[in-house]
Amino acid sequence: AAERYKTKLENFVDMICHEIRNPINGIYGHLDLMWNTVSDIEKKIEGVVSKLDKQDGGVMMKMMMDEVTTMFSQVKEHYTYVHLCVEHQQVMTDDVLQISKLRANKPDFKLKTFSLTDTVDVAKAMFELQAAQKDVEIEVEYTTPIPLLTSDQGKVMQILTNTLGNAVKFSD
């Protein structure tokens, strides 16, 4: 009975993870469409601005176009953070799917060499908005150069996001 329960539980977890992956893939698709749309609009704006540069008197219009360009840059930055969050969620979902390997004592580590500072910066970026809403600043200081690290980057990111998420959550 216990073995049958264990198998049902693993099947249930696998099913849930697959169900979570479907919306994640949908989010990825819409993020790509959004990126393409913003990029197309940005190119059109650049074309208008370059035409305005060649004309006399388009100063006010150029200022407005510069503001719009700045807003598109901000949208692209937010896109990047959303994409990073979805990417991290997908890694976590994939990890749950590996539950049978963990139970069989065969963990599936994806070793690769990567920049720890880049990974820390990405994790920091994922929580900056939440921190700012709580009037908390996330500060990272590297006093010496950090060498490349060979490890499972997804697991390192998981540790960082759990730590930063809790730090922001419990900060006043």
Side-chain angles (χ1 to χ4, degrees), residues 47-152:
V48 170
V49 169
S50 70
K51 287 179 185 175
L52 290 174
D53 285 344
K54 295 175 185 173
Q55 297 175 356
D56 290 339
V59 176
M60 189 59 114
M61 183 65 144
K62 184 177 182 330
M63 286 174 50
M64 186 176 77
M65 297 306 279
D66 287 345
E67 286 182 40
V68 171
T69 301
T70 299
M71 286 190 282
F72 276 118
S73 294
Q74 292 169 345
V75 168
K76 288 169 101 173
E77 185 177 339
H78 293 307
Y79 161 88
T80 301
Y81 297 148
V82 170
H83 192 275
L84 292 170
C85 292
V86 172
E87 190 175 88
H88 180 65
Q89 182 63 47
Q90 188 165 29
V91 168
M92 295 302 97
T93 303
D94 290 344
D95 283 353
V96 174
L97 284 171
Q98 298 296 326
I99 197 165
S100 58
K101 287 184 180 180
L102 291 174
R103 288 196 174 153
N105 241 353
K106 298 178 185 175
D108 185 24
F109 294 108
K110 295 170 183 75
L111 297 180
K112 72 177 204 174
T113 302
F114 62 95
S115 166
L116 182 59
T117 55
D118 288 350
T119 304
V120 168
D121 292 343
V122 166
K124 176 184 174 228
M126 290 171 67
F127 290 94
E128 283 181 321
L129 182 61
Q130 290 171 322
Q133 290 171 340
K134 293 184 83 172
D135 203 28
V136 172
E137 185 177 340
I138 300 173
E139 206 171 294
V140 177
E141 183 179 328
Y142 303 105
T143 56
T144 60
I146 308 293
L148 294 177
L149 178 66
T150 300
S151 185
D152 186 322

